[in-house]
Amino acid sequence: TSGPDIHITNAVAFSATGTGGITLQANRDIITGGAITTSGGAVLFDSNYADASSGYVQVNANVTTGGGALTIGGGSAAITAGSGYAWDNGDANSVFCGVFINDGVTVSTGAGNVIINGRGQTVSANNYSDGVEIGNLLTTAKLQTTTGSITVNGIGGGGTNGTYGSIGVSAIGTVTSTSGAITLTGTGGGNVAN
């Protein structure tokens, strides 16, 4: 069926006290609309759990972990850097990328490591099929740590109509760390515009 498995539309903050973490796991899509906060606990967004190459992640509200790790990807196996991807499927709620951190959103983990794996969809009629997109030109989107590492892996879509690349950071989006390593690895899709 169409539509996301986890779709949080209200501005409701999810919080975990102590070192408790938060896991959102869906057979298909995950869309957040409320802030997610932990006090050192890990946060996991795991879409495409059915391993059907269909299940994206849209982060539409702030994520703050206070030192906990943040992992965004997909599939039923453990998600590691470059393994276990969220996949765009081009449904009605999609913005045509595997992982999308929306305008105005700040993702901050402090000392927590960040892993993001996203893959664009392959529907040839659609444009802008990034694996991972951070911001969309309207207001600043931020992905930031202090000492935590940031590892982003994006694979572009395979369409033939202006499909763009692997990792998109908008002109006013930022990916920063005070002292942690930042690794951005992109693989273009099937179109010459990648």
Side-chain angles (χ1 to χ4, degrees), residues 32 34-37 43 45 59 61-65 70 105-109:
T32 70
I36 292 179
T37 304
V43 173
F45 297 155
V59 182
N62 293 347
V63 178
T64 306
T65 70
L70 170 65
V105 170
T106 295
V107 175
S108 181
T109 63

Side-chain angles (χ1 to χ4, degrees), residues 3-111:
D5 282 317
I6 299 176
H7 189 175
I8 303 166
T9 58
N10 295 322
V12 177
F14 288 79
S15 62
T17 58
T19 57
I22 294 175
T23 296
L24 299 180
Q25 196 169 66
N27 283 339
R28 291 185 301 273
D29 311 326
I30 297 171
I31 301 175
T32 70
I36 292 179
T37 304
T38 68
S39 300
V43 173
L44 171 64
F45 297 155
D46 185 2
S47 66
N48 184 35
Y49 197 73
D51 293 318
S53 302
S54 176
Y56 54 83
V57 177
Q58 286 185 40
V59 182
N60 297 321
N62 293 347
V63 178
T64 306
T65 70
L70 170 65
T71 304
I72 303 177
S76 60
I79 299 169
T80 58
S83 178
Y85 281 80
W87 285 63
D88 181 46
N89 55 24
D91 75 10
N93 294 298
S94 169
V95 291
F96 307 122
C97 49
V99 176
F100 179 52
I101 298 175
N102 208 345
D103 290 335
V105 170
T106 295
V107 175
S108 181
T109 63

Side-chain angles (χ1 to χ4, degrees), residues 73-146:
S76 60
I79 299 169
T80 58
S83 178
Y85 281 80
W87 285 63
D88 181 46
N89 55 24
D91 75 10
N93 294 298
S94 169
V95 291
F96 307 122
C97 49
V99 176
F100 179 52
I101 298 175
N102 208 345
D103 290 335
V105 170
T106 295
V107 175
S108 181
T109 63
N113 296 332
V114 176
I115 293 174
I116 299 176
N117 299 325
R119 186 164 188 155
Q121 53 88 29
T122 59
V123 178
S124 62
N126 290 317
N127 299 333
Y128 312 114
S129 187
D130 292 329
V132 177
E133 186 172 334
I134 300 169
N136 195 26
L137 297 176
L138 298 178
T139 56
T140 302
K142 299 177 181 178
L143 174 59
Q144 60 191 31
T145 70
T146 54

